[in-house]
Amino acid sequence: MKLLKLRTKIILFTALLLIGVVIGSFLLIDHVVRDQVRGRLVRDLERSQHNLEQIQKDRLRELVAYSIIASENSTLKAAIETFQSERLGASPILEQLRRTVDNEANKLFTVLAADLLIITDNAGQILTVQSSPILPVPPGLTLSDQPSIINSLSSKPADFVQAASIWRFNQKAYRIVSVPILLQDIVVGTLNTGFEISPSLVQAIKANTDSDVVFSADGQIIASTLTPQQNESFLNYVREDSRMPRVPSPSQAEVVLHGETFLALKLASGERSNASFVILNSIDRAMHDIMSGIKTTLIVIGLFSIFLATLLGWTLSQSITKPLMTFVNFMDGISQTGDLKKKFQPQTPNFEVDVLARSYESLAHSLEESQAQTAKYHEELRQKESSEEKLRTLAARSRLDALISQINPHFLFNALNTVSALIDENPGEAQRLTLKLSNIFRQTLQASEREIISLQEELNFIRDYLEIEKARFGERLQVEQQVTVQKAEIPCFTLQPLVENAIKHGASPKIGTTTIRIEVRQSDGKLTVQVSDDGIGMNQESLNHMLDRGYGLKNLIDRLNIFYQGNFSWKVESQFQHGTVVRLELPC
Amino acid sequence: MSPPLKRRAGVAIFSVIGGGLVALICLSRPEHSAANPHLASISGTVRIESKIQSKSLALNLYSRRGISAANQKLQPPANELQNIVLYLEGRFPDSFDPPEKSPVILQADETFVPHVLPVIRGTTVNFPNGDPFFHNVFSLSSAKNFDLGRYPKDHVRSVRFDRPGIVKVFCHIHSHMSAVVLVFEHPYFAGVDAQGRFKMENLPPGNYELVAWHERLKPQKQTVTLRAGAESRVDLVL
């Protein structure tokens, strides 16, 4: 059912269109939202950065303050100072002094609640390390390369917070601040306190800021809230280094970690440059959070729209297909009954179908007219075909008759007898007659292929024919010919039957000489062909039945009738014992 | 008198007393046997050219910790020359008695005055508290390990130094305070005046090493040959 297909098409098309619109809107919204989300994430990141840097600063400042207070420990100072003074002497008190330093450091470590506490001498050599758990620090390890310690030892008037170090030891990283241990303005050592940059710390930061945090140093992840795979990709960024924002980070950069897009920002931290503290906000996650809601809404709207479109399409197509179906049914009826005059009466008026019906009616009208014309034409054609057919039949028959007549055994027998008789008496004549006979047969055969020939050809043929007859009849047959027409065309075998009849029915039965006279003349647009003889002639009765008797004349009349379509006349006059005149008047 | 003024006056008094004592210690001994023609003497100058390692420059935020802000500006820049001690190193056949009068290290303005005190073995050093608050004196050094406990103003506690060596002295209450007592076997040592001049007299003739010592600097040694009745001239650079 093509009409149902149309309906399906309408619904399908609308549905596809709507799906396209929904998808398009989704993509558009996605694009717009992504921009906005990005903007918001940038602000979030900057806020996180600010907060973190502030927290970090506060924490470090706090540590510095507490460390300064802690560094004012007289026992510690005395122990350090004495230790350094006694060191060269290898005195037995050194071990005791070291224990004192350890004890004091341990007390401070407990009080400060730090993750790490290191005391160095005034050369940066480690005197004691307090940590939890205890770090296996090898003896002789120096921290003199740490910026904070360098700063403390030189007692530069610098900000202790800014000089904070990242101390990496044993797969761990500590943020340390260093303050000088002063004895009457003399730096006798440094007190370094720090907290570990631990997984729990970065988790806490994430919980506070909602940002992912990665802390890496020397191409290693120290602490991270990302997945292990993302950490791996992150390291690639750090290694390549070109795509990561540098310190200080004026702006954020987009990074793709294991297929997830993040906005990353490196915190200014003031430590060695191979350590980086990066906070990241996942664009994808934020997008997903927002877009999942929008997606659901859009899908609901889309489904509802498709339902509405289906309903609308159905109704709309129904308003077209229903009248169309009526019209189709009407046409079906027409095709069955063939009644073109029947008018279409729609149940429900519909503009388009109405137009269609009007067009159909106009078409039906034209069809009807052309049908009538065709019928007429066919009739004419049929008539024409039948007359032509008749003509052809007659012509064929005439040729056949002529052939039969010429090959008439009598004619042939007589002709051959004549030739035979002449062979001895007059061989030349016999030869001539044989040629004539041959001509006659050839002519007859050729003529069967043509309907019309020139008058001259016909006369030539007659002459040949008469030659043979004259040879048979001898002096009994005289031929006169009076032809005043130079050029004319006549149906073939027009003269022959007349001449044959004159010989057969006029000359043959008569005792004595018979003269056959052939006249052809032209006047008033007519060609008059007359064959007369002074033979035995016919009485009235014979004349009346003349057409019934021999085929020859009737055949000729029929042929001419068809050929000229009745536009000719013929006349036969005959008087018994006096002869017969046959006259044809043909149009030329 | 308002308390700051009173305190300032106190500081001034003790400074004078302290200065006087130092002068007494440094100069009294040569005077004591100035005329002995069998003895030799050294005079000369000491300069500090090395940077005193870890010497705190004026820390903008944390300097002068433990001292009230009002007193900070009164603290004169320390003259490190006065913390230099010159002494002879060598073999001395005699044994020496400690001085009859005990030298003093005064605790004033949360500072031990003098900062460096050279003494002969067996000397008892008095540690009077000149500040209107408690002080403590203790040491962890191997040469003398002691803790005098806490005591208030005008109280004096003493320590006898029986073994030669460097004794670092601290205060438990005021952790920035420190002093050094240098305990020698002999009395052949001297301080330096503010211009870096020194004079050592009544020295036994012989070959010795003259050592210039400073708490934070590498000691400088110079061989000297002392002749009786003659004065050797030595200039040292630390």
Side-chain angles (χ1 to χ4, degrees), chain A residues 78-94:
Chain A
I80 294 168
E81 175 69 0
T82 312
F83 181 83
Q84 286 180 74
S85 130
E86 305 265 340
R87 189 154 48 185
L88 297 169
S91 102
I93 207 166
L94 280 176

Side-chain angles (χ1 to χ4, degrees), chain A residues 357-407:
Chain A
R358 294 288 84 80
S359 312
Y360 163 72
E361 273 168 17
S362 143
L363 181 73
H365 183 67
S366 318
L367 201 63
E368 204 181 4
E369 272 185 356
S370 75
Q371 217 173 46
Q373 272 182 351
T374 311
K376 197 175 150 199
Y377 171 73
H378 268 284
E379 181 57 28
E380 280 171 2
L381 196 66
R382 198 174 56 79
Q383 283 173 358
K384 203 171 165 188
E385 273 178 354
S386 75
S387 59
E388 278 180 2
E389 182 65 23
K390 199 172 173 185
L391 190 61
R392 261 197 300 278
T393 314
L394 285 173
R397 192 179 294 161
S398 150
R399 281 191 289 274
L400 193 64
D401 286 352
L403 204 56
I404 288 165
S405 173
Q406 264 98 64
I407 311 168

Side-chain angles (χ1 to χ4, degrees), chain B residues 5-234:
Chain B
L5 268 177
K6 193 190 268 176
R7 190 172 165 191
R8 224 170 279 171
V11 169
I13 290 161
F14 281 110
S15 299
V16 169
I17 295 168
L21 283 169
V22 169
L24 196 72
I25 293 159
C26 295
L27 303 173
S28 63
R29 204 165 295 273
E31 276 172 14
H32 191 64
S33 53
N36 193 335
H38 302 291
L39 297 176
S41 66
I42 306 172
S43 68
T45 57
V46 182
R47 278 201 330 275
I48 297 177
E49 288 193 347
S50 309
K51 187 173 168 285
I52 292 173
Q53 197 192 8
S54 305
K55 172 71 184 165
S56 172
L57 302 175
L59 283 174
N60 55 348
L61 268 169
Y62 308 103
S63 64
R64 315 302 309 164
R65 296 206 303 271
I67 294 173
S68 65
N71 286 342
Q72 281 194 26
K73 60 176 178 292
L74 293 178
Q75 196 74 23
N79 187 349
E80 290 299 331
L81 288 170
Q82 291 177 338
N83 292 331
I84 292 171
V85 173
L86 290 151
Y87 63 89
L88 287 182
E89 213 172 69
R91 287 181 154 275
F92 302 100
D94 305 332
S95 65
F96 302 91
D97 295 326
E100 286 159 20
K101 189 166 187 201
S102 294
V104 170
I105 292 180
L106 176 66
Q107 296 158 83
D109 269 350
E110 298 185 12
T111 313
F112 287 112
V113 183
H115 177 64
V116 179
L117 178 69
V119 295
I120 306 169
R121 186 170 69 164
T123 304
T124 301
V125 177
N126 290 333
F127 291 92
N129 181 356
D131 276 332
F133 39 78
F134 275 76
H135 272 302
N136 162 275
V137 182
F138 77 100
S139 171
L140 302 174
S141 297
S142 55
K144 186 68 187 179
N145 197 330
F146 66 92
D147 189 340
L148 299 182
R150 301 173 182 201
Y151 51 96
K153 183 177 163 60
D154 293 340
H155 284 234
V156 180
R157 291 190 184 176
S158 305
V159 182
R160 184 186 155 92
F161 294 95
D162 291 323
R163 288 170 63 191
I166 299 165
V167 179
K168 298 246 173 187
V169 179
F170 305 95
C171 168
H172 265 310
I173 302 169
H174 307 98
S175 66
H176 55 276
M177 291 169 69
S178 82
V180 187
V181 178
L182 295 169
V183 186
F184 295 103
E185 297 273 14
H186 55 77
Y188 308 123
F189 50 79
V192 179
D193 73 6
Q195 280 74 46
R197 291 182 301 237
F198 69 92
K199 190 172 173 69
M200 295 168 85
E201 290 178 318
N202 298 326
L203 305 173
N207 289 327
Y208 305 99
E209 279 200 302
L210 178 66
V211 182
W213 179 94
H214 184 278
E215 191 184 9
R216 308 282 165 197
L217 297 172
K218 196 180 171 215
Q220 289 297 314
K221 296 180 179 182
Q222 183 157 340
T223 309
V224 288
T225 305
L226 301 179
R227 284 184 303 272
E231 184 179 291
S232 302
R233 172 86 193 171
V234 178

